[in-house]
Amino acid sequence: MDPVAPSPSVNKPSGFAGFAPPRAVRSEASPRGGATGRADQAADRVAKLIETVGPGSRLGTKDELRTLCSVSVGTFNEALRLLQARGLVTVKPGPGGGIFSAEQSPMVRLGNSVLALDAQHNDVAEAVRIRDALDPLLIEDALWHASPADVSGLRRHITAMEKAVTAADAVGFVHANWRLHAAIAAISPNALLSSLYTHLLDLIESHTLSVLPASEQPLGEYIAYRHELHRDLVDALDQRDREKALRIIHEHNTSTPSTGPTPTPTAH
């Protein structure tokens, strides 16, 4: 089922124009100044260098880049850890090795979102396809079996999604979104279906590096739209409105809304 996020958090397949590798996210470590500040500055210096070269390009040896950044060995090692955590560089040992700009992550479409994935992208693409096919079955089960307590639990996840929208926290929104869908799956009396769906969600989440926009629309607008869509879905389940619930889940998985925002990042 669905939205944005980074990783390890969360962090898409080829064939979609205009997508760049996940943007670097600055560590919230400490103010600039001191060892951590110098490491941030060194990481930023290397990140700017990366912007001038293509994916997979050799940037130099550790000593060469450390000299370029004018920092100590320890500070550069910390900067290198920051760059690796951001998915910007890879380190290759041996002759001809050194520090290289990271290859662009494989990508997979997730509804109106795009996920940047790790090496297991083929498995994740299949998991997304199967998950989308199972959504209507779980909605049918929820229409029949959701108790008032179940619906109350779903609304708590909707509230968490709303808070993420207010905070402009796309990553938090994605995780709250996936928790909502896991809670819907848990309502099903079909243990095999529920277990399979939950496993697919876990697989998708564990291999997602970040969530990127599927269009130029501002991310805040899109996650606000996705929040409203999921809120309406829970309302339909509460009202036992089968036609509305199935229409929403179809829109949720396959289409761009005809009115309202044009999709951007998030995840089912």
Side-chain angles (χ1 to χ4, degrees):
M1 300 174 170
D2 188 72
V4 156
S7 92
S9 104
V10 258
N11 329 52
K12 306 171 183 221
S14 56
F16 297 95
F19 296 123
R23 293 189 182 91
V25 178
R26 177 164 296 164
S27 169
E28 297 181 359
S30 67
R32 300 249 173 181
T36 302
R38 289 193 294 273
D40 279 333
Q41 291 174 341
D44 287 349
R45 179 74 181 271
V46 177
K48 289 178 181 178
L49 174 61
I50 291 171
E51 292 175 358
T52 67
V53 302
S57 298
R58 188 175 186 275
L59 303 174
T61 65
K62 288 179 66 174
D63 282 342
E64 288 170 344
L65 292 179
R66 181 182 66 78
T67 300
L68 175 68
C69 296
S70 301
V71 294
S72 67
V73 172
T75 297
F76 185 76
N77 285 338
E78 175 61 23
L80 184 57
R81 282 192 289 270
L82 291 172
L83 290 163
Q84 289 175 305
R86 297 171 190 172
L88 295 179
V89 301
T90 57
V91 179
K92 299 179 182 179
I99 299 174
F100 293 76
S101 59
E103 297 285 352
Q104 185 167 345
S105 300
M107 299 181 182
V108 64
R109 184 87 179 207
L110 177 57
N112 289 326
S113 310
V114 180
L115 302 181
L117 307 171
D118 63 16
Q120 302 299 316
H121 58 285
N122 290 329
D123 290 344
V124 176
E126 283 302 301
V128 170
R129 189 170 70 90
I130 297 168
R131 193 211 63 164
D132 285 353
L134 297 181
D135 277 335
L137 297 177
L138 289 166
I139 293 302
E140 291 276 15
D141 280 357
L143 285 163
W144 279 97
H145 300 285
S147 68
D150 290 329
V151 173
S152 179
L154 297 182
R155 293 197 188 282
R156 285 194 292 273
H157 293 298
I158 292 295
T159 298
M161 292 167 69
E162 182 178 13
K163 290 180 178 177
V165 170
T166 301
D169 180 4
V171 177
F173 183 88
V174 172
H175 288 292
N177 183 304
W178 284 340
R179 287 193 294 270
L180 170 67
H181 285 292
I184 292 174
I187 295 171
S188 174
N190 187 325
L192 178 60
L193 175 60
S194 180
S195 176
L196 174 59
Y197 189 89
T198 301
H199 175 73
L200 292 171
L201 282 180
D202 289 344
L203 188 154
I204 294 167
E205 184 171 7
S206 66
H207 293 295
T208 298
L209 300 177
S210 63
V211 183
L212 303 181
S215 79
E216 294 302 316
Q217 180 196 10
L219 175 56
E221 292 181 14
Y222 182 63
I223 63 174
Y225 162 73
R226 297 302 288 185
H227 164 255
E228 292 176 3
L229 189 69
H230 286 83
R231 181 195 61 201
D232 291 347
L233 176 62
V234 173
D235 286 343
L237 294 177
D238 189 18
Q239 298 158 7
R240 301 294 194 262
D241 188 335
R242 181 175 182 273
E243 181 179 353
K244 180 180 179 181
L246 292 180
R247 174 178 56 77
I248 290 173
I249 202 62
H250 176 74
E251 179 179 343
H252 171 284
N253 286 354
T254 64
S255 66
T256 298
S258 55
T259 59
T262 305
T264 303
T266 313
H268 279 38

